């Protein structure tokens, strides 16, 4: 059993990815090194960390088959070199027999081996007359929730639920994770400035409160080379809904400590997860 006061340090990585994949990987490597030097055991990159292209279709040229490719080798090598649990925001993974790709989050253990894969289930579509997005044109939807178990150095095991960006609007996914025993929920994202300004923080805090779980959200945050503006505000939220740390805009590392004893106390004081009826 973890001792009161034992904690695990986690890092949310915020980026402003551009149109050059090699430059983005260099930026990611630098930020991950900062996280490791600060003592983080888990670091989470944002959605599309590897590329924010001039056109959405640019990501197709970067698509890799699951298990091999320059980006996957970079991630495996970086996780191993830094001794980190590394959640690789998203990268384009080829769909066999199709021209579309999965928007995939891969989890690497400190040994550099893939421990979990999650393909984004809910695909974003938005059109306000000025901005237009439709991810289903190029992306194939995932079908299956995914989680992994992270044994931290303090002796506590965290069950970690995976999600991506637009998934945040679908609370049933996170409730499924809570039912499966998750106590940390990850949300790598590239929220638009328009929707993020109004909805990002309230949704993150709601997912934390209703599932009595920590939430770590790593975002794209700034004006990109392609003209797109993302909301940023990467943050870590505790199970009581308080924001522990955040970065409003620009590239950087958001660090926070998760306390298993405090998590247990909140779940004991307010056993809402045991009171579910539907």
């Amino acid at each position: 059993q973890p001792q009161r006061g034992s904690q695990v340090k986690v890092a949310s990585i915020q980026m402003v990815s551009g149109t050059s994949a090699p430059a983005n990987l260099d930026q990611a490597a630098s930020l991950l090194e900062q996280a490791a030097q600060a003592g983080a055991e888990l670091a989470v990159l944002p959605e599309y960390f590897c590329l924010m292209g001039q056109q959405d279709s640019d990501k197709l040229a970067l698509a890799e088959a699951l298990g091999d490719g320059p980006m996957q080798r970079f991630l495996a090598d970086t996780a191993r070199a830094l001794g980190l649990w590394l959640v690789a925001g998203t990268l384009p993974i080829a769909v066999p027999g199709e021209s579309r790709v999965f928007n995939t989050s891969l989890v690497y253990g400190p040994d550099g081996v893939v421990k979990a894969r999650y393909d984004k289930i809910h695909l974003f579509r938005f059109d306000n007359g000025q901005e237009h997005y439709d991810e289903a044109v190029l992306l194939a939807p995932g079908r299956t929730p995914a989680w992994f178990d992270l044994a931290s150095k303090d002796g506590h095991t965290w069950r970690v639920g995976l999600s991506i960006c637009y998934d945040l609007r679908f609370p049933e996914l996170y409730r499924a994770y809570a039912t499966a025993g998750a106590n940390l929920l990850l949300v790598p994202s590239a929220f638009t400035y328009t929707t993020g300004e109004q909805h990002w923080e309230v949704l993150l805090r709601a997912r934390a409160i209703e599932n009595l779980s920590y939430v770590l959200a790593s975002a794209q945050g700034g004006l990109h080379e392609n003209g797109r503006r993302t909301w940023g505000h990467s943050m870590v939220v505790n199970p009581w809904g308080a924001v522990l740390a955040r970065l409003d805009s620009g590239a950087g590392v958001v660090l926070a400590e998760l306390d298993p004893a405090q998590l247990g106390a909140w779940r004991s004081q307010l056993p809402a997860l045991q009171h579910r009826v539907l």
Side-chain angles (χ1 to χ4, degrees), residues 107-191:
V107 179
Y108 293 82
D111 57 0
V113 175
V114 173
K115 307 299 184 183
R117 169 193 179 171
Y118 171 74
D119 299 327
K120 187 176 186 179
I121 292 175
H122 302 95
L123 301 183
F124 182 54
R125 188 169 68 216
F126 178 72
D127 189 347
N128 64 0
Q130 297 173 311
E131 297 173 86
H132 173 75
Y133 304 97
D134 188 355
E135 289 186 327
V137 173
L138 297 171
L139 299 182
R143 301 293 181 192
T144 310
W147 60 82
F148 66 99
D149 289 332
L150 187 161
S152 63
K153 294 172 184 175
D154 67 4
H156 184 75
T157 296
W158 296 87
R159 177 152 289 183
V160 186
L162 298 170
S163 68
I164 298 167
C165 200
Y166 189 51
D167 285 331
L168 184 58
R169 297 181 181 274
F170 300 87
E172 60 272 20
L173 175 62
Y174 302 90
R175 183 47 53 93
Y177 287 142
T179 301
N183 41 32
L184 171 60
L185 307 170
L186 305 184
V187 196
S189 300
F191 249 63

Side-chain angles (χ1 to χ4, degrees), residues 49-269:
F49 76 92
C50 54
L51 188 74
M52 294 284 277
Q54 290 290 357
Q55 304 174 64
D56 281 348
S57 57
D58 290 352
K59 66 172 69 75
L60 298 178
L62 280 186
E64 296 182 356
L66 183 66
D68 191 39
M71 289 185 295
Q72 291 172 83
R73 288 193 293 272
F74 160 80
L75 294 164
D77 291 346
T78 301
R80 189 182 306 111
L82 297 177
L84 275 175
W85 283 88
L86 171 56
V87 178
T90 68
L91 61 160
I93 294 296
V95 180
E98 283 199 44
S99 57
R100 296 185 299 171
V101 294
F102 291 116
N103 195 21
T104 298
S105 188
L106 293 177
V107 179
Y108 293 82
D111 57 0
V113 175
V114 173
K115 307 299 184 183
R117 169 193 179 171
Y118 171 74
D119 299 327
K120 187 176 186 179
I121 292 175
H122 302 95
L123 301 183
F124 182 54
R125 188 169 68 216
F126 178 72
D127 189 347
N128 64 0
Q130 297 173 311
E131 297 173 86
H132 173 75
Y133 304 97
D134 188 355
E135 289 186 327
V137 173
L138 297 171
L139 299 182
R143 301 293 181 192
T144 310
W147 60 82
F148 66 99
D149 289 332
L150 187 161
S152 63
K153 294 172 184 175
D154 67 4
H156 184 75
T157 296
W158 296 87
R159 177 152 289 183
V160 186
L162 298 170
S163 68
I164 298 167
C165 200
Y166 189 51
D167 285 331
L168 184 58
R169 297 181 181 274
F170 300 87
E172 60 272 20
L173 175 62
Y174 302 90
R175 183 47 53 93
Y177 287 142
T179 301
N183 41 32
L184 171 60
L185 307 170
L186 305 184
V187 196
S189 300
F191 249 63
T192 70
Y193 192 94
T194 303
T195 58
E197 186 174 29
Q198 299 298 323
H199 302 155
W200 172 247
E201 182 175 328
V202 69
L203 286 170
L204 290 170
R205 294 177 70 185
R207 298 295 86 87
I209 292 166
E210 69 198 6
N211 295 299
L212 286 162
S213 296
Y214 284 97
V215 171
L216 186 160
S218 52
Q220 296 282 351
L223 184 61
H224 301 266
E225 288 178 275
N226 61 10
R228 181 171 173 177
R229 190 179 182 193
T230 47
W231 176 240
H233 293 77
S234 296
M235 65 180 71
V236 181
V237 185
N238 75 18
W240 209 242
V243 177
L244 299 179
R246 84 170 85 212
L247 175 63
D248 290 352
S249 62
V253 179
V254 179
L255 295 163
E257 292 184 333
L258 314 186
D259 187 330
Q262 183 64 73
L263 169 70
W266 278 316
R267 288 187 168 186
S268 175
Q269 292 163 13

